[in-house]
Amino acid sequence: MKKVRFAVIGMGHIGKRHAEMIRRNEQAELVAVCDIISPKELGISALSEIFYNSLSELLANEKDIDVVNICVPNGLHAELALKALDSGKHVVIEKPMALSRLDAEKILAKSKERGCDVFCVMQNRYSPPSVWLKEIVESGILGKLYSVQLNCLWNRDERYYKSGNWHGSTEMDGGTLFTQFSHFVDIMYWLFGDITNIKGSFYDFNHQSLTDFEDSGNVLFDFVKGGSGSLNYSTAVWDKNLESSMTIIAENGSIKVAGQYMNEVKYCHIKDYTMPTLAPSNPPNDYGPYKGSAQNHHYVIQNVIDKLNGNASITTNAMDGLKVVDIIERIYKERDAR
């Protein structure tokens, strides 16, 4: 079986993780990496792969690459994805897929035009509690859905929003829901579908000098398929992450999944059901002073390889990525109307 050949665009924290997961996979080959910053400044001077300073230069020289992994600031995702797709490459796009539904639709259209796959990184789908929740919801044993409460309460302070960094800017970051919590919005959409009747209150408690946008919000909505929902989120938590949690109240039972990144089943009480023992979740991405979501990127890389070899479907496809962007954009429309 031929190895799948990858290039990684953007060699910050997440780009380095993508590169390492590709190197560790025996079915993959990392051919080249790319960043506008020099290898020395990035701390990758001992790099064994070819280094390029632009995607255009990389695409011109590396004709045999199969997949381009896009790990750049959010505001550049759509532009670089379109360029890679136009060159006939499959793309892996770090969350979020884009910062507007319009741009996400352009990516979807280009992918169909060129016959190339789009893989959206929503790594929380791979965690054992998420996989179990999906099975529970699809089985129908919960009965009618009553309400879902999603709480995302993290710390992102001056250690994260550093002066001169792209994090915190409307143009490149997009907002708290795009950068910090889009993978939790994805889990909610994956489990329960689209939302409507959105209402919300938004606040900027302690990020006035750090970001262009809100640090907290309380959002109420209904699910199109039935049931109500709420999303309470904040990056104003002092010093360290508090939790990410989802509480489900339904006709035949209740579930709460919580922990710093929704990695523990805290409560499960369902009619005529005994919960199985789940595999342990992977630890969070560790960025020194702050923590991220679970280290599941190796599953993403394996899914790309399996799909391109005809052995699997895409775990998070372009339509799913588009819907997450669409939901966040509609929540922010409510914010900006106030």
Side-chain angles (χ1 to χ4, degrees), residues 29-317:
E29 179 184 356
L30 181 60
V31 176
V33 301
C34 174
D35 205 297
I36 59 171
I37 300 173
S38 72
K40 184 177 180 181
E41 290 177 276
L42 291 165
I44 53 172
S45 297
L47 194 70
S48 57
E49 295 84 18
I50 303 169
F51 183 90
Y52 292 97
N53 280 122
S54 75
L55 177 56
S56 297
E57 184 185 8
L58 186 152
L59 292 172
N61 287 280
E62 304 295 341
K63 303 294 187 184
D64 294 333
I65 286 172
D66 302 302
V67 185
V68 174
N69 289 35
I70 296 167
C71 308
V72 296
N74 302 344
L76 299 173
H77 286 184
E79 175 189 336
L80 298 188
L82 289 168
K83 182 176 285 190
L85 288 167
D86 213 29
S87 295
K89 312 302 180 188
H90 306 287
V91 296
V92 175
I93 311 176
E94 258 298 338
K95 53 87 182 167
M97 178 181 177
L99 291 182
S100 71
R101 180 187 174 97
L102 180 61
D103 279 347
E105 287 173 343
K106 290 177 182 176
I107 293 171
L108 191 60
K110 183 62 70 174
S111 131
K112 290 179 178 178
E113 175 193 322
R114 300 295 292 171
C116 296
D117 289 325
V118 175
F119 302 80
C120 299
V121 177
M122 291 295 182
Q123 67 270 30
N124 281 24
R125 290 193 185 194
Y126 296 99
S127 72
S130 296
V131 173
W132 170 73
L133 277 175
K134 183 69 169 174
E135 292 171 356
I136 289 291
V137 171
E138 290 193 339
S139 73
I141 66 170
L142 285 171
K144 187 182 295 184
L145 180 69
Y146 293 159
S147 72
V148 176
Q149 298 149 29
L150 185 61
N151 293 297
C152 301
L153 308 173
W154 280 9
N155 161 265
R156 290 291 183 265
D157 54 25
E158 65 281 351
R159 293 170 293 183
Y160 179 86
Y161 290 114
K162 295 178 181 178
S163 178
N165 192 287
W166 65 271
H167 290 298
S169 80
T170 298
E171 183 183 9
M172 284 293 115
D173 186 316
T176 300
L177 288 178
F178 277 120
T179 296
Q180 306 304 327
F181 302 130
S182 59
H183 37 324
F184 296 108
V185 174
D186 172 68
I187 290 295
M188 186 181 72
Y189 169 71
W190 186 48
L191 293 174
F192 306 110
D194 205 354
I195 66 173
T196 188
N197 300 329
I198 299 167
K199 298 178 177 63
S201 299
F202 304 88
Y203 309 92
D204 196 9
F205 292 121
N206 63 11
H207 284 53
Q208 292 92 343
S209 62
L210 299 177
T211 70
D212 293 340
F213 40 76
E214 87 296 344
D215 59 35
S216 306
N218 303 316
V219 188
L220 300 174
F221 46 85
D222 296 321
F223 290 101
V224 172
K225 295 178 183 177
S228 67
S230 65
L231 165 60
N232 302 300
Y233 68 93
S234 182
T235 51
V237 176
W238 179 74
D239 193 49
K240 65 179 183 179
N241 292 353
L242 173 57
E243 72 163 12
S244 305
S245 69
M246 179 181 286
T247 302
I248 303 166
I249 310 296
E251 181 182 12
N252 296 327
S254 305
I255 298 171
K256 181 172 182 177
V257 179
Q260 276 200 40
Y261 50 102
M262 227 166 74
N263 56 310
E264 304 166 31
V265 180
K266 296 287 191 180
Y267 185 85
C268 174
H269 185 52
I270 303 171
K271 180 181 179 182
D272 300 327
Y273 177 80
T274 301
M275 185 183 160
T277 300
L278 303 183
S281 297
N282 290 325
N285 285 300
D286 190 338
Y287 305 118
Y290 59 92
K291 300 293 187 291
S293 55
Q295 293 181 21
N296 290 333
H297 282 85
H298 58 293
Y299 296 122
V300 177
I301 301 304
Q302 190 60 52
N303 181 236
V304 174
I305 293 166
D306 291 342
K307 171 60 173 69
L308 297 188
N309 284 320
N311 298 323
S313 58
I314 302 174
T315 305
T316 313
N317 59 38

